[in-house]
């Protein structure tokens, strides 16, 4: 059974930092692109960052320079380090696994077939 479990969310003030973790079980995740998405109240789920099976990364524009995605294949864990957080970063953050073995990095939620339960990030001004 494939399972993704996020942790590390919380409440911080603007300018603060958080590190999100996503522990993966039931699959050799090193062979798949892993992504982070977020969903704010009343908004659609949006792409934040992805890391490919080869370690390459892509980010949404608002995350560039502030967020860093990384992976530890030995631990089957993906991380999202978030610095200089802003109130507009407030959302539920989800990690996801791409559907394709050794696939390209993609930004659409529909390209990911396994999802975690989400972790809340709240940034106050």
């Amino acid at each position: 059974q494939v399972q993704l479990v996020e942790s590390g969310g919380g409440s911080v003030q603007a300018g603060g930092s958080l590190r999100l973790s996503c522990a993966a079980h039931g699959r050799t995740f090193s062979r798949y692109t892993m992504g982070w998405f977020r969903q704010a109240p009343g908004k659609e789920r949006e792409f934040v960052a992805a890391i490919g099976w080869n370690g390459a990364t892509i980010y949404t524009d608002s995350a560039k320079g502030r967020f860093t995605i990384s992976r530890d294949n030995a631990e089957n864990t993906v991380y999202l380090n978030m610095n200089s957080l802003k109130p507009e970063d407030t959302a539920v953050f989800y990690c996801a696994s791409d559907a394709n073995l050794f696939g390209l990095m993609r930004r659409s939620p529909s390209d990911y077939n396994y999802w975690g339960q989400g972790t809340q990030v709240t940034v106050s001004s």
Side-chain angles (χ1 to χ4, degrees):
Q1 181 181 359
V2 177
Q3 189 177 21
L4 302 179
V5 180
E6 301 102 334
S7 61
S11 297
V12 296
Q13 291 192 326
S17 300
L18 284 173
R19 187 192 200 199
L20 305 184
S21 300
C22 173
H25 308 279
R27 197 186 207 187
T28 306
F29 284 93
S30 60
R31 303 175 183 176
Y32 296 86
T33 288
M34 298 294 292
W36 283 98
F37 293 78
R38 64 186 178 188
Q39 189 165 18
K43 295 188 176 181
E44 293 187 352
R45 191 167 299 188
E46 65 173 2
F47 171 79
V48 176
I51 184 165
W53 58 270
N54 58 359
T57 58
I58 55 173
Y59 298 90
T60 191
D61 286 346
S62 63
K64 289 178 182 177
R66 299 190 300 128
F67 295 1
T68 303
I69 187 172
S70 61
R71 67 193 303 164
D72 183 338
N73 290 332
E75 297 293 329
N76 247 10
T77 301
V78 177
Y79 302 98
L80 185 67
N81 283 289
M82 304 186 293
N83 298 316
S84 302
L85 283 162
K86 305 174 181 180
E88 51 264 42
D89 294 316
T90 295
V92 177
F93 280 70
Y94 299 89
C95 74
S97 176
D98 188 276
N100 296 293
L101 185 66
F102 297 121
L104 300 174
M105 292 180 291
R106 294 177 291 185
R107 301 169 184 262
S108 172
S110 63
D111 291 319
Y112 293 76
N113 62 342
Y114 290 108
W115 292 82
Q117 81 288 351
T119 185
Q120 176 70 45
V121 171
T122 302
V123 185
S124 58
S125 58

